[in-house]
Amino acid sequence: MSRVVVIVGASSGIGRAAARAFAERGDRLVLAARAATPLAEVRAECADVDVLTVPTDVTEPDALDALADAAVDRFDRIDVWVHTAAVMAYGRFDELPGRVFDQVVRTDLLGAAGSVRVALRHFRAAGAGTVILTGSVLGHITAPYLGAYVASKWGLQGLARTVQQELRDSPEIRLCLVNPGSVDTPVYEQAANYLGRVGRPPPPIGSPQRVARAIVDCADRPRREVSVGRFNVVMRAGFTVLPGLYDVLVGPLMRLAGLSGRSVAANDGSVFAPNPAGAAVRGGHLPDLRQLALGPVGVVGAALRRRLR
């Protein structure tokens, strides 16, 4: 029997890739995000399965309750609840407007907490279910200019661990945390920016499809925490074992690899309102394999585009 899967943040990046991955498994989907147009596009991409789209802003009161009610009205139950919704902001802590910092935390941490609260209420009534949260390696380490995002992901790490402890008396209800490293999604260029340079994922960069496979695997075989990214363990070790050296190096490395050379005026990005034009699975930070297949010309073209970012 196919599962009923709710995906919050399904319009772009990891959430959109996860929607496609669950659809390939034949699962029925309830897709949520702020903008209706990208959700309709994702529904068309998952046309072989039954899909319900519910425009949802996780920062709005009762929005997640309404999402769960819509899912149950349509499919009679919820089996898996996936939360991938997130926004990002670049800027030194004292230069980032407080309203932007607060909204990032409201979306990335409190929105995820709201998803857990609503999902658990349904799963406790049903006696079973799986919640899958998308954290980040930045829930274990820190990086300059991303204070709001880092604070949210550290908070999410603590929340997940606490809820996992509280679920020990309910073995059929599981909470999983998937922690990616750098991923090729649009979130970096969609971020609010008060730093003056457009952000980008530092290498090594993974694909959103890889993270989506980890999410689907957690739905099949729930685990407490899954790390997705070859370099994650190295960064965590450096942060923990050599904190002084880590702090000396992380700033220059962030400016070199985590910021592009493109200037940008101060802006709120998609923190307060979605940008449907920017909704896509990938952010264009990885080379296009079709171009690489063309040989040297494709390789050179891909390299030039990355240098211009």
Side-chain angles (χ1 to χ4, degrees):
M1 180 182 296
S2 64
R3 297 170 295 202
V4 177
V5 181
V6 174
I7 303 177
V8 183
S11 63
S12 66
I14 293 168
R16 191 164 183 162
R20 294 176 180 177
F22 278 111
E24 291 174 359
R25 298 289 299 272
D27 293 318
R28 291 170 289 174
L29 303 178
V30 182
L31 307 179
R34 290 179 294 179
T37 299
L39 282 179
E41 296 171 355
V42 184
R43 180 175 58 200
E45 295 168 359
C46 303
D48 292 338
V49 298
D50 197 353
V51 179
L52 172 66
T53 59
V54 184
T56 303
D57 185 338
V58 301
T59 67
E60 291 294 327
D62 303 322
L64 291 165
D65 288 295
L67 170 62
D69 290 344
V72 173
D73 287 345
R74 175 69 170 267
F75 297 117
D76 296 324
R77 70 179 197 275
I78 301 169
D79 300 307
V80 180
W81 188 293
V82 179
H83 188 97
T84 68
V87 293
M88 186 180 285
Y90 287 91
R92 296 178 184 274
F93 174 74
D94 56 326
E95 296 175 355
L96 187 70
R99 60 184 178 79
V100 175
F101 184 99
D102 292 353
Q103 186 70 1
V104 171
V105 174
R106 191 174 293 118
T107 301
D108 295 4
L109 176 56
L110 300 185
S115 270
V116 174
R117 185 179 299 112
V118 171
L120 289 185
R121 184 166 62 248
H122 285 268
F123 293 161
R124 287 197 183 278
T130 302
V131 184
I132 303 172
L133 301 177
T134 305
S136 170
V137 69
L138 289 175
H140 289 284
I141 65 173
T142 60
Y145 319 127
L146 292 171
Y149 187 81
V150 170
S152 299
K153 294 304 182 180
W154 275 69
L156 187 61
Q157 188 76 31
L159 174 66
R161 184 69 177 270
T162 300
V163 174
Q164 287 167 346
Q165 293 165 352
E166 295 172 352
L167 288 174
R168 289 181 62 82
D169 61 350
S170 304
E172 297 304 314
I173 303 175
R174 305 291 296 274
L175 185 143
C176 310
L177 183 62
V178 176
N179 286 329
S182 292
V183 184
D184 179 27
T185 74
V187 70
Y188 305 91
E189 293 189 356
Q190 297 291 316
N193 200 304
Y194 286 82
L195 194 61
R197 290 171 60 186
V198 176
R200 63 185 177 188
I205 306 170
S207 73
Q209 289 85 355
R210 183 183 178 192
V211 185
R213 288 194 295 271
I215 290 172
V216 173
D217 190 53
C218 278
D220 294 337
R221 300 182 299 110
R223 283 162 289 166
R224 292 167 60 88
E225 184 174 342
V226 176
S227 178
V228 184
R230 297 189 304 274
F231 203 56
N232 290 7
V233 66
V234 177
M235 291 187 289
R236 290 177 61 175
F239 182 82
T240 303
V241 178
L242 299 169
L245 180 61
Y246 179 95
D247 287 353
V248 168
L249 295 177
V250 68
L253 288 174
M254 180 66 180
R255 290 188 290 273
L256 175 67
L259 300 172
S260 74
R262 288 184 292 154
S263 299
V264 61
N267 69 89
D268 291 344
S270 64
V271 168
F272 293 96
N275 176 16
V281 172
R282 289 179 177 263
H285 301 282
L286 283 173
D288 188 328
L289 295 180
R290 292 172 299 178
Q291 291 172 334
L292 294 182
L294 296 176
V297 174
V299 173
V300 172
L304 288 174
R305 274 190 302 280
R306 290 198 302 276
R307 185 174 182 82
L308 291 173
R309 286 188 175 277

